[in-house]
Amino acid sequence: MKFSINFHILKKPYLIIFSLIWSLLFSVSLMKYQGSAFAFTLFSFSFLILLFLGFYKNKSYAFMYLAVFLWLGFWTKLVAHLLLDYEYIEPIGVFSGSTGEWDQVLWVSTIACLGVIIGRFLYAILNFKVADDNQNNNVYPEWYPTIRIKVWALFIVIVILATVSNTVLGINQIGLSPRTILPWPLNALISWIVSIGGVMGLATLIWWDISLKKGVYPALFAITIEAFISSISLFSRGVFIFHSIPQFIALYKNKLLDNFSKKRLAIVGCFILIFFVLSLAIVSVLRANFYSQDGITTTTKSQISLNRLEVLKGGIARVKKLIRQGGDHKAHLAELLIEQEGLQMKVSNSTSDFRLKLIKENEDTREIPDSINDKNVIIDHQVQFDRINESVALKEFYYQLTQGVFLKVLALSVDRWVGLEGVMAVVSYPNKGRALIIDTFIEKRTPGEVTRYQEIANSKYQWVDSNVWQFASLPGAVAFLYFSGSFWIVLFGMILFAFLVQFLEFLIYKGTRNPILCSLLGVSIANNVTQFGIAPAQGSVYLFMIFVGILAIVIVQNLKLITNKLFS
């Protein structure tokens, strides 16, 4: 049997339905767009062509994911905001929304899109073969069949130990600095296993089993459970999707699910849905706990207030520094402190009457309050802080299962994807140039410092304590390339990105002959491109570790061949 990764899946009924929906959305959005109709039309058709090329006769999983992510992050996001007229979730710098700025955003985005399309055709012209090899060759080591159960048992133990260690010790959790530093290289190893190494191992073992003609049915449950525990350990809602869906797609495209009965498919579908909903709910509860302010109980409903609290904390520190330097900002400081206390009360679910009054009897005092509880502030209030407890956690979990998950899926279906806001922020930034793109490329992300883009985008994360929080607004590859202020750099940069995602997948396939691994890492590579731009040189370590893992798999699968060549 030959396993193909050719994505010729556009069938006429689906194509007609999609075309009708797209035409309707395009027509209504065009009437609402205030800038150049030509710019919007070219922008829309460019991204439509990109999406089409992502599926039609495409042999690359990575390019398919890249096309989908860019289409969601640019065209879909713009259309959603034009039709629903709501504020952008991500920061947009000093973007004014003038027709001139909007047209420039669309031109930059269109040029980037054309660059990706050119990269697709350039790769096709060079004609790197992927699916022409005889895939019936055994891809598992010769020793694997005899100790298969032991290998699976060892793998399960390693994954459980890594995920539990990460959950308890807080080594790699979204938005948080590491809570524990273990002896080198344990932090890096545990982080790598939980984020990508464990699921790479799972994809490898599943493909080895498929080569041994073992059943695929148990693998579907294994994929779901691994995605579930990794999502919880990393505090990431997206990990469940990125760890599971690419593997399911690869199994489907290689016709490994064709013989499943409808009953089996229904059971698997329900199992996946249940664990997906549970992962979203549990991660949200954990975030409400670990992202809380000074031990105050928080829920999803108060996360906006909590974010504002973190911004206020950084802003208060900045204003106090200005006062110490001789600035006259006491009135502003008083306003920030009062707002901070009000938000703390709101987040803690406490109820009380209070009044706050800043003492102005000594205008020359140089003592600056760290909070409204300091001696320069009179407070008359009674606050009952609710600490994290089982009751609150259960209430939050119930809210997530009944409402929160559904609302979160709706919100993240459009606004989760990086793209448009980054270009909006950079278009409005006046100091673009080669120096900026070079500086942002070589910068490092370190505790206590914020990256340059947080200032460019006027992100709230530039105010938070980066010794505790590691959140950051992301520019994306297109916005990063436009740091240069050059359309040419955007064009050729995106050609290079599009070519590289396909070529890297080609290398993965040639080394492992594993389409599941190609799909899994293809989504990771594509996601790295769309989220590119925060300390890129430093972030390349993640890709390096992926390919170290690939090299290890290649060596294990071909150890006998390598040994024979070395000693023959």
Side-chain angles (χ1 to χ4, degrees):
M1 179 171 59
K2 183 175 181 178
F3 301 113
S4 172
I5 56 173
N6 179 23
F7 281 88
H8 190 183
I9 63 172
L10 293 178
K11 300 189 177 178
K12 193 172 181 181
Y14 301 108
L15 190 58
I16 292 174
I17 294 171
F18 174 82
S19 299
L20 291 173
I21 295 173
W22 184 91
S23 298
L24 177 62
L25 293 174
F26 167 73
S27 300
V28 178
S29 300
L30 180 60
M31 290 187 289
K32 287 183 172 289
Y33 182 68
Q34 299 299 312
S36 167
F38 176 72
F40 183 80
T41 302
L42 187 59
F43 165 82
S44 297
F45 277 93
S46 296
F47 277 92
L48 179 63
I49 293 170
L50 173 62
L51 184 65
F52 178 78
L53 292 174
F55 292 92
Y56 183 71
K57 293 185 177 180
N58 172 34
K59 296 181 178 181
S60 169
Y61 291 99
F63 186 84
M64 179 190 72
Y65 296 130
L66 180 62
V68 171
F69 293 167
L70 291 175
W71 186 73
L72 289 170
F74 285 90
W75 189 83
T76 306
K77 183 175 287 186
L78 177 59
V79 168
H81 282 270
L82 286 173
L83 296 180
L84 302 178
D85 191 24
Y86 65 102
E87 291 186 3
Y88 285 89
I89 302 299
E90 293 298 316
I92 56 176
V94 294
F95 188 78
S96 66
S98 67
T99 56
E101 281 189 334
W102 266 119
D103 286 346
Q104 190 176 3
V105 167
L106 296 198
W107 282 118
V108 172
S109 304
T110 302
I111 290 169
C113 182
L114 293 175
V116 177
I117 292 171
I118 294 171
R120 159 82 158 81
F121 284 114
L122 177 62
Y123 184 85
I125 290 170
L126 294 177
N127 197 27
F128 290 98
K129 301 289 185 181
V130 173
D132 290 347
D133 285 352
N134 181 6
Q135 299 185 37
N136 289 319
N137 291 337
N138 293 335
V139 297
Y140 54 86
E142 62 177 6
W143 46 262
Y144 177 68
T146 58
I147 59 171
R148 173 176 169 268
I149 301 300
K150 293 180 180 178
V151 171
W152 270 100
L154 179 62
F155 167 76
I156 292 170
V157 169
I158 290 173
V159 169
I160 291 175
L161 285 175
T163 51
V164 170
S165 299
N166 186 66
T167 304
V168 173
L169 301 177
I171 293 169
N172 180 10
Q173 290 169 333
I174 299 300
L176 297 174
S177 295
R179 300 198 308 273
T180 307
I181 303 298
L182 300 173
W184 186 88
L186 291 178
N187 273 60
L189 184 62
I190 291 173
S191 176
W192 180 75
I193 290 173
V194 177
S195 62
I196 193 67
V199 72
M200 285 176 61
L202 178 63
T204 300
L205 293 180
I206 289 173
W207 192 245
W208 288 358
D209 280 1
I210 290 171
S211 299
L212 284 170
K213 311 301 181 186
K214 301 293 182 182
V216 179
Y217 194 56
L220 302 179
F221 297 97
I223 291 170
T224 305
I225 293 172
E226 189 283 330
F228 175 73
I229 62 175
S230 295
S231 176
I232 292 173
S233 182
L234 292 165
F235 290 6
S236 171
R237 302 179 183 101
V239 161
F240 188 96
I241 298 295
F242 291 137
H243 279 203
S244 61
I245 299 302
Q247 297 189 78
F248 295 143
I249 289 175
L251 292 171
Y252 170 75
K253 289 308 303 169
N254 287 280
K255 304 185 184 304
L256 292 168
L257 305 179
D258 288 358
N259 295 327
F260 277 32
S261 65
K262 291 182 179 180
K263 181 180 178 180
R264 277 196 164 191
L265 289 175
I267 292 173
V268 172
C270 290
F271 187 81
I272 295 169
L273 180 61
I274 289 170
F275 275 85
F276 174 59
V277 171
L278 284 174
S279 71
L280 289 180
I282 293 173
V283 169
S284 295
V285 172
L286 289 172
R287 285 188 170 198
N289 184 344
F290 282 87
Y291 297 174
S292 61
Q293 175 78 12
D294 298 328
I296 301 172
T297 299
T298 62
T299 65
T300 298
K301 295 178 180 180
S302 63
Q303 286 296 306
I304 295 176
S305 299
L306 182 61
N307 289 339
R308 178 61 182 163
L309 269 173
E310 283 302 319
V311 174
L312 280 172
K313 185 177 180 181
I316 288 169
R318 185 74 61 91
V319 172
K320 288 193 294 183
K321 182 178 180 181
L322 293 174
I323 293 175
R324 291 190 181 100
Q325 293 172 352
D328 184 16
H329 300 285
K330 287 187 178 180
H332 185 204
L333 178 61
E335 293 174 0
L336 294 180
L337 291 171
I338 291 171
E339 182 183 358
Q340 181 188 49
E341 183 69 10
L343 286 174
Q344 285 176 334
M345 301 247 331
K346 181 178 179 181
V347 169
S348 67
N349 297 318
S350 59
T351 57
S352 63
D353 290 328
F354 66 95
R355 60 185 175 80
L356 306 170
K357 207 177 356 180
L358 186 68
I359 293 182
K360 298 182 179 179
E361 296 173 357
N362 186 359
E363 294 292 342
D364 296 327
T365 181
R366 279 291 178 262
E367 291 191 25
I368 304 163
D370 287 326
S371 73
I372 58 173
N373 294 307
D374 281 5
K375 61 183 179 181
N376 286 345
V377 180
I378 292 179
I379 308 169
D380 180 16
H381 68 123
Q382 178 67 38
V383 179
Q384 175 78 36
F385 288 110
D386 292 330
R387 298 290 176 177
I388 294 296
N389 56 63
E390 188 175 320
S391 175
V392 173
L394 288 174
K395 287 180 180 178
E396 170 66 2
F397 186 66
Y398 176 75
Y399 165 77
Q400 288 298 329
L401 290 179
T402 55
Q403 301 177 51
V405 168
F406 176 72
L407 296 174
K408 185 63 66 177
V409 169
L410 288 180
L412 296 180
S413 60
V414 172
D415 290 307
R416 182 248 182 264
W417 309 103
V418 177
L420 191 66
E421 294 101 323
V423 178
M424 293 164 68
V426 176
V427 161
S428 64
Y429 186 68
N431 299 320
K432 295 184 286 292
R434 292 182 181 178
L436 177 62
I437 193 172
I438 292 172
D439 289 345
T440 51
F441 182 80
I442 63 176
E443 73 177 341
K444 294 183 178 180
R445 196 173 182 186
T446 56
E449 301 291 334
V450 295
T451 58
R452 185 73 176 274
Y453 179 70
Q454 308 314 303
E455 300 175 2
I456 292 172
N458 196 23
S459 171
K460 63 187 178 185
Y461 298 128
Q462 66 180 308
W463 303 106
V464 303
D465 183 359
S466 57
N467 290 300
V468 178
W469 310 100
Q470 285 294 298
F471 289 112
S473 298
L474 306 173
V478 180
F480 176 83
L481 292 170
Y482 197 55
F483 284 160
S484 65
S486 168
F487 285 171
W488 288 108
I489 290 180
V490 173
L491 178 67
F492 286 109
M494 293 308 293
I495 291 173
L496 179 61
F497 275 125
F499 181 85
L500 282 177
V501 298
Q502 297 171 92
F503 183 68
L504 291 176
E505 183 185 330
F506 163 77
L507 294 179
I508 293 168
Y509 183 80
K510 295 300 287 187
T512 65
R513 302 191 301 280
N514 184 341
I516 303 177
L517 206 53
C518 288
S519 182
L520 175 69
L521 297 181
V523 78
S524 182
I525 294 169
N527 194 47
N528 268 270
V529 171
T530 57
Q531 297 188 355
F532 190 84
I534 298 296
Q538 192 178 36
S540 62
V541 174
Y542 177 76
L543 287 177
F544 174 75
M545 293 183 71
I546 285 178
F547 278 89
V548 169
I550 291 296
L551 181 61
I553 293 170
V554 172
I555 292 173
V556 169
Q557 289 186 175
N558 300 279
L559 186 59
K560 183 178 180 180
L561 178 63
I562 294 171
T563 304
N564 290 339
K565 286 188 176 182
L566 287 176
F567 297 101
S568 59

